[in-house]
Amino acid sequence: MTIEAGQPLAGQPTSARQAGPKRPLGGLGRAALGRAGRAALLATGRTPVPDALEPLVQAHRRHHPQADLGLLGRAYRLAEASHRGQKRKSGEPYITHPLAVTMILAQLGAGTTTLVASLLHDTVEDTELTLDQVGAGFGPEVAYLVDGVTKLEKVDFGAAAEAETFRKMLVATGDDVRVMVIKLADRLHNMRTIRHMKPASRVRIAKVTRDVLIPLAERLGIQVLKAELEDIVFATLHPEEYARTRALLAGREDHPDALLAPFALALGRQLAEAGVAAEVTVRPRHCVSLHRVLLKRDAAAGPDGRPQGPQPADFGRVLVVVEENADCYAVLGELHTCWTPLPGEFKDFVAAPKFNLYQSLHTAVALEGGEVVEVLVRTRRMHEIAETGVVALGDPRQPGTEPGADELDRTDPARPGWLSRLLEWQQETPDPDAFWSALTADLAGDREITVVTEAGETLQLRAGASCVDAAYLLGEETGHRCIGARVNGRLTALSTVLQDGDRVAILTEQGDPAARPSGPAPEWLAHARTPAARLAIERWLADHPPRVPVVRTGPSAGQPAPPAHRAAERGEAPVTVVGRPGAPVRLARCCTPVPPDEVSGFAIRGGAVAVHRTGCPAGERMRADGRGTPEVRWRPGAAPPSGYRATLRAEALNRPRLLADLTAAISGEGVGIVSAEVEPPQELRVRHTYTVELPEPGALPAVLRAMLRVSGVYDVGRPFAPAGGGARTPAAAAGAATRPAPGPAPEPVSGAVSAPVSGPVSAPVSAQGNGDDPSAPGVRPSWGIHGRSAAFTGH
């Protein structure tokens, strides 16, 4: 839809003057009728307006019949006097520009205050009129709008003038969205006359319009402005492609519509029979919209393997406008009953509006010949908002004044959510170049997604955003303390890209909220898609340079001493072989049995007996090979000469200082670390394996609990070594490197462990949530403590 100066928007009734007879009744000439009309206005006390404002007044009265025309007249006279003698590059008087911009806004339905500010929007910038004079004559509200769209001087800001002007404009828009509405109308008229600019200026202006102003028009929901700006930018930057697409549209206009129009008639008849009052029309695509469809056609091969050409349904969509919200779903039912709906093409933006206020039902149906037709269903109010966005919501300074407001209209005209987020991060980028780069990057996303926290809070994010972005959207402190996320009930990496409709929970490290969090890792920058997240991470990394981790081997000052464990009698065989007293025994290193594990004995060379935990893959292989299985039992109070060794595995979300904290937790229990292995992180999850020397078997549960209390650790257990007991087999190594994402995470824990472990734990525990496949050889844990030490923020 194109807004033409002096003409109403399509679909709106024309005025009586336009629809009336060419020759007035009574034989009066046009001049005499004009004098009579002005005399009648004076007789009724209504302030006359200049002749140049007549088309503007007609457009304005269609939306605001009780508008203050005297205020418009005063604003026009002041603007005309201020710009008198100035010319545009086209040679026209400069006053034609504010008049044209104001006409665009009047056709959109903007209020009188907005139109007054539009008439005066260039006076402070290009004439001797001051902002104080504007405020004195028209009030502080008009002065604020004029100041918001006034450019900053290059003399003062140099090359940064454009970036700083947009920053100033965005800040003003945060308080009153009409500032950006006036700027968009101003840019639309400038783009209409861009042919009078130099070629280099045309390209520069078109690129700024494409990168900044068109996305802003999209976010404000002003579709009629966005569509025309897109077409002009397309024609300016890609004239050849524009000419080809425009020729296709022109050729289509010369031939009757044999597909969409008959379908619209059939749908209208069907809805009438069903008792649904609706207006069914064909909505043609504009040039850029058609070009995008053609690009998709070229990328998709047809049945013959060749790129598909344009189809009749590509040139438009069917629009159904109804009266009530419930009628939208009634129309949808008739559509899907009488025609075949395409799976995956239905989108409900009525129940869940888009970030830019847009509400409609979208679907696509297949006709008998195989053609696919797209259908949009919306109410009249939804259609008005879809076309003119925030302008249709009225004066943001007087919310709730519009009668008949729909309860499904979940909009905030004064401060859209995306604008609030943009204003937050722009304050942290004083450098104009950094601000401009961040602004264009933030606006580059052509759509946004909606995710819901487990606490019910709705988050609006740009498409492609990750869990890192969601964490920082909940607050910078939440982002810094984030150590993991749960998406749709499954523990996942922070790098996970969120999809529209996901349910997300952000897990943060526990501890004193006043204490300094461990903070983000540099790798997070690769997963952050929003400027707010990137700037917060960069600021943290700059303020907290990396430090060399210090591994503590014992309790530090202020920490309690490790618990005193009962010393076992070392040197005595820990296991006795039934029927063979004095037989030498060896505790297997592949499974590191510790009392009271269930164990099995296997005869080896030299008459010795190897003791394995029951279920150890190496022991089971020996059993299958026919090795003897003498009965073995633990000897109470005995221990090997070097003490019991146990292998412990911790599954955690990777973060700085994790190794230092885990080793400190182990040593804090008075347990020595013999060896440690840290596998490379897989999607921000990491696996630590430790071999420890226990002072006595009863120390093992306390060590497991201490490891689980470390922030980021969500699973601790005792693994079996790969089958064979020696080096990893290729199958086992591959299983560890490609372990699946953890399953549904357990309920949030209170403290570090949901239930204390009293005494040695001997019963096997499920491996759910630890990232291992219990059926894979060599990775099934025996017993351990499974949980999560991350605090749940409730987001």
Side-chain angles (χ1 to χ4, degrees), residues 54 84 128 136 216 614 766 773-774:
E54 284 293 341
R84 190 171 298 160
E128 298 298 325
L216 286 172
T614 300
S766 169
D773 183 359

Side-chain angles (χ1 to χ4, degrees), residues 210-365:
R210 176 197 63 191
D211 296 339
V212 178
L213 288 166
I214 288 177
L216 286 172
E218 167 75 10
R219 280 155 175 74
L220 293 176
I222 313 177
Q223 179 63 29
V224 290
L225 290 185
K226 172 181 174 283
E228 187 173 354
L229 284 173
E230 282 184 330
D231 284 353
I232 299 175
V233 169
F234 185 34
T236 303
L237 299 180
H238 308 282
E240 296 180 359
E241 295 180 34
Y242 173 81
R244 285 195 296 268
T245 309
R246 191 76 192 102
L248 282 175
L249 280 174
R252 185 71 182 176
E253 292 170 357
D254 296 337
H255 297 82
D257 185 357
L259 177 67
L260 296 178
F263 173 78
L265 290 174
L267 177 58
R269 288 194 296 267
Q270 180 63 34
L271 295 177
E273 293 176 3
V276 180
E279 179 183 341
V280 185
T281 58
V282 176
R283 185 178 179 85
R285 292 185 183 273
H286 63 100
C287 201
V288 170
S289 178
L290 177 61
H291 180 68
R292 290 173 180 151
V293 172
L294 297 180
L295 290 178
K296 293 180 181 178
R297 291 284 185 191
D298 292 342
D304 57 355
R306 297 180 179 179
Q308 305 179 61
Q311 304 297 316
D314 295 340
F315 291 87
R317 293 180 289 186
V318 174
L319 173 65
V320 182
V321 179
V322 296
E323 296 297 332
E324 304 291 339
N325 291 296
D327 292 341
C328 294
Y329 297 96
V331 172
L332 185 69
E334 295 296 325
L335 272 169
H336 288 184
T337 300
C338 301
W339 290 274
T340 304
L342 267 65
E345 292 296 325
F346 170 65
K347 298 177 182 177
D348 189 348
F349 296 118
V350 173
K354 294 176 70 174
F355 67 96
N356 62 352
L357 320 180
Y358 179 86
Q359 289 182 282
S360 281
L361 296 180
H362 288 207
T363 189
V365 295

Side-chain angles (χ1 to χ4, degrees), residues 38-373:
R38 284 192 290 273
L41 288 175
L42 290 174
T44 58
R46 183 173 295 174
T47 305
V49 296
D51 292 340
L53 283 186
E54 284 293 341
L56 175 63
V57 168
Q58 294 173 14
H60 189 40
R61 281 200 176 279
R62 280 192 289 269
H63 298 277
H64 303 277
Q66 304 300 322
D68 184 356
L69 300 184
L71 194 64
L72 279 176
R74 285 201 297 117
Y76 170 76
R77 293 186 185 93
L78 179 59
E80 194 277 333
S82 300
H83 290 295
R84 190 171 298 160
Q86 296 180 347
K87 300 284 186 180
R88 304 196 78 219
K89 291 188 180 298
S90 61
E92 298 174 311
Y94 196 90
I95 190 60
T96 59
H97 170 66
L99 266 177
V101 172
T102 308
M103 172 59 76
I104 292 172
L105 294 171
Q107 290 175 320
L108 290 175
T112 304
T113 302
T114 307
L115 301 190
V116 170
S118 174
L119 286 169
L120 301 171
H121 79 274
D122 274 340
T123 54
V124 175
E125 179 182 333
D126 295 332
T127 73
E128 298 298 325
L129 194 67
T130 66
L131 197 61
D132 291 338
Q133 291 173 320
V134 172
F138 299 91
E141 192 173 348
V142 171
Y144 184 85
L145 297 177
V146 172
D147 183 44
V149 296
T150 299
K151 296 179 183 177
L152 298 175
E153 294 291 341
K154 287 189 176 181
V155 175
D156 300 325
F157 291 89
E162 185 172 38
E164 292 299 332
T165 295
F166 272 100
R167 186 202 298 269
K168 167 175 169 283
M169 214 172 294
L170 287 170
V171 172
T173 302
D175 185 63
D176 195 326
V177 76
R178 292 175 294 179
V179 171
M180 190 56 64
V181 174
I182 296 174
K183 177 60 181 178
L184 289 171
D186 173 67
R187 179 54 60 96
L188 176 58
H189 184 252
N190 284 331
M191 293 299 292
R192 285 175 175 175
T193 58
I194 197 172
R195 63 186 180 277
H196 300 291
M197 303 291 291
K198 296 179 180 179
S201 298
R202 288 202 296 265
V203 172
R204 178 184 61 81
I205 295 172
K207 287 182 176 179
V208 173
T209 304
R210 176 197 63 191
D211 296 339
V212 178
L213 288 166
I214 288 177
L216 286 172
E218 167 75 10
R219 280 155 175 74
L220 293 176
I222 313 177
Q223 179 63 29
V224 290
L225 290 185
K226 172 181 174 283
E228 187 173 354
L229 284 173
E230 282 184 330
D231 284 353
I232 299 175
V233 169
F234 185 34
T236 303
L237 299 180
H238 308 282
E240 296 180 359
E241 295 180 34
Y242 173 81
R244 285 195 296 268
T245 309
R246 191 76 192 102
L248 282 175
L249 280 174
R252 185 71 182 176
E253 292 170 357
D254 296 337
H255 297 82
D257 185 357
L259 177 67
L260 296 178
F263 173 78
L265 290 174
L267 177 58
R269 288 194 296 267
Q270 180 63 34
L271 295 177
E273 293 176 3
V276 180
E279 179 183 341
V280 185
T281 58
V282 176
R283 185 178 179 85
R285 292 185 183 273
H286 63 100
C287 201
V288 170
S289 178
L290 177 61
H291 180 68
R292 290 173 180 151
V293 172
L294 297 180
L295 290 178
K296 293 180 181 178
R297 291 284 185 191
D298 292 342
D304 57 355
R306 297 180 179 179
Q308 305 179 61
Q311 304 297 316
D314 295 340
F315 291 87
R317 293 180 289 186
V318 174
L319 173 65
V320 182
V321 179
V322 296
E323 296 297 332
E324 304 291 339
N325 291 296
D327 292 341
C328 294
Y329 297 96
V331 172
L332 185 69
E334 295 296 325
L335 272 169
H336 288 184
T337 300
C338 301
W339 290 274
T340 304
L342 267 65
E345 292 296 325
F346 170 65
K347 298 177 182 177
D348 189 348
F349 296 118
V350 173
K354 294 176 70 174
F355 67 96
N356 62 352
L357 320 180
Y358 179 86
Q359 289 182 282
S360 281
L361 296 180
H362 288 207
T363 189
V365 295
L367 307 186
E368 292 182 357
E371 299 91 348
V372 176
V373 176

